[in-house]
């Protein structure tokens, strides 16, 4: 032992340190042993974790990702998926705006933090415009055009039926007005009701007529049957016996064009 400690080391200690340093640098570098990473104890948890992440990502993108508008709906969704949400406003007798709440209450909507439906201006650019497929309600007054008979009645009924309620919409396509054309269902009591079909039964709308582009899903026969029954009973718009003008005829007379979708 050197004394005092701050004195210089003896020459033999310096030589031994130099030899040790040279020996460590000149020794061969051993290859890394990867066998540990190939053991089942490592591979199995890694595979499970990777699969869980991939499945969770796909599940989120397909079923839990909120869609703020019709233009943001993936092309792979049309005719294959449905959208669940709450109706925030009703604009006319055959359309409304839907705030998409994927997963519903099971995903926390309505009770979990940051899972509440906004109100007022916060809804701007955050709702999907839904056009009910297969039906045509009387036209309200707009752009200086007069309202059709029954237009306000259809609007009032639809508002009462779906406003602030949870709705599931089976989407078919996006129309020329960036609306999702869809068959919408709302739960009333224990039963799930087709909104468009109920309007036809009550004589609040006609079956949608167009040269091309009409959408019914697989419900056209049922819709036409409901319209015919309401017509025979003289319900709603069918109370008019003379001078009846369908919404399609009205739009044609007013010069409204149809670019291949429900208008």
């Amino acid at each position: 032992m050197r004394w005092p400690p701050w004195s210089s080391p003896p020459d033999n200690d310096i030589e031994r340190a130099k030899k040790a340093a040279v020996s460590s640098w000149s020794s061969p570098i051993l290859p890394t042993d990867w066998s540990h990473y190939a053991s089942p104890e490592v591979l199995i948890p890694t595979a499970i974790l990777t699969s869980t992440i991939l499945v969770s990502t796909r599940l989120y993108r397909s079923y839990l990702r909120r869609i703020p508008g019709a233009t943001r709906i993936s092309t792979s969704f049309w005719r294959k998926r449905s959208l669940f949400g709450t109706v925030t406003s009703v604009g006319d007798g055959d359309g409304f705006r839907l705030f998409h709440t994927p997963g519903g209450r099971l995903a926390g909507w309505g009770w979990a933090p940051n899972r509440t439906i906004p109100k007022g201006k916060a809804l701007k650019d955050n709702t999907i415009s839904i056009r009910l497929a297969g039906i045509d309600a009387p036209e309200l007054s707009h752009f200086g055009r007069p309202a059709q008979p029954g237009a306000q009645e259809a609007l009032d009924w639809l508002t009462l039926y779906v406003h602030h309620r949870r709705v599931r919409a089976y989407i078919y396509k996006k129309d020329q007005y960036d609306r999702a054309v869809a068959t919408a269902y709302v739960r009333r009591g224990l039963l799930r009701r087709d909104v468009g079909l109920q309007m036809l039964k009550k004589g609040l709308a006609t079956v949608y007529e167009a040269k091309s582009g009409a959408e019914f899903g697989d419900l056209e026969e049922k819709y036409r049957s409901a319209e015919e029954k309401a017509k025979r009973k003289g319900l709603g718009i069918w109370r008019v016996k003379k001078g009846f003008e369908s919404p399609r005829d009205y739009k044609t007379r007013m010069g409204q064009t149809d670019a291949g979708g429900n208008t």
Side-chain angles (χ1 to χ4, degrees), residues 201-222:
K201 286 181 175 181
K202 294 179 180 298
L204 297 170
T206 68
V207 169
Y208 185 81
E209 300 287 358
K211 294 180 179 178
S212 63
E215 291 288 350
F216 293 92
D218 57 355
L219 299 168
E220 183 174 1
E221 184 176 344
K222 183 182 290 187

Side-chain angles (χ1 to χ4, degrees), residues 22-248:
V22 172
S23 175
S24 65
W25 280 103
S26 60
S27 61
I29 299 175
L30 297 176
T32 303
D33 182 10
W34 294 98
S35 61
H36 168 71
Y37 298 100
S39 65
E41 292 82 0
V42 175
L43 283 179
I44 293 175
T46 302
I48 292 174
L49 178 60
T50 302
S51 299
T52 300
I53 292 173
L54 292 175
V55 170
S56 298
T57 301
R58 185 176 181 84
L59 179 67
Y60 171 77
R61 294 185 56 148
S62 298
Y63 298 102
L64 297 176
R65 179 173 60 90
R66 210 189 77 76
I67 300 172
T71 57
R72 301 287 293 278
I73 298 175
S74 170
T75 54
S76 63
F77 276 37
W78 300 111
R79 301 184 183 279
K80 296 179 181 178
R81 298 288 173 84
S82 64
L83 301 177
F84 185 77
T86 297
V87 176
T88 59
S89 64
V90 179
D92 54 30
D94 46 33
F96 53 81
R97 301 200 73 90
L98 182 79
F99 185 87
H100 184 215
T101 56
R105 295 187 63 82
L106 291 177
W109 288 103
W111 57 270
N114 301 321
R115 287 281 179 169
T116 57
I117 299 173
K119 297 179 181 179
K121 294 181 179 180
L123 284 170
K124 182 177 173 59
D125 300 325
N126 272 312
T127 57
I128 302 169
S129 182
I130 300 292
R131 172 59 164 88
L132 292 174
I135 72 166
D136 217 359
E139 293 291 305
L140 291 164
S141 61
H142 52 79
F143 303 120
R145 303 184 182 115
Q148 278 191 277
Q152 190 62 47
E153 183 182 358
L155 173 63
D156 292 344
W157 184 92
L158 184 60
T159 300
L160 184 63
Y161 203 67
V162 302
H163 196 205
H164 297 314
R165 290 184 176 273
R166 292 188 289 271
V167 166
R168 183 168 296 281
Y170 292 84
I171 55 176
Y172 303 126
K173 70 177 183 180
K174 178 170 67 71
D175 71 6
Q176 69 270 31
Y177 302 111
D178 287 337
R179 301 175 300 186
V181 180
T183 299
Y185 291 86
V186 62
R187 191 167 293 280
R188 304 288 297 189
L190 298 177
L191 300 177
R192 195 177 71 152
R193 303 285 190 181
D194 177 343
V195 178
L197 180 62
Q198 295 305 309
M199 294 192 72
L200 290 170
K201 286 181 175 181
K202 294 179 180 298
L204 297 170
T206 68
V207 169
Y208 185 81
E209 300 287 358
K211 294 180 179 178
S212 63
E215 291 288 350
F216 293 92
D218 57 355
L219 299 168
E220 183 174 1
E221 184 176 344
K222 183 182 290 187
Y223 277 23
R224 293 194 181 280
S225 176
E227 180 192 63
E228 186 58 34
K229 289 178 181 178
K231 189 184 298 186
R232 288 200 306 267
K233 294 178 182 179
L235 301 177
I237 59 177
W238 305 112
R239 290 192 295 264
V240 178
K241 300 300 182 182
K242 293 183 178 181
F244 173 78
E245 185 177 39
S246 71
R248 168 54 46 202

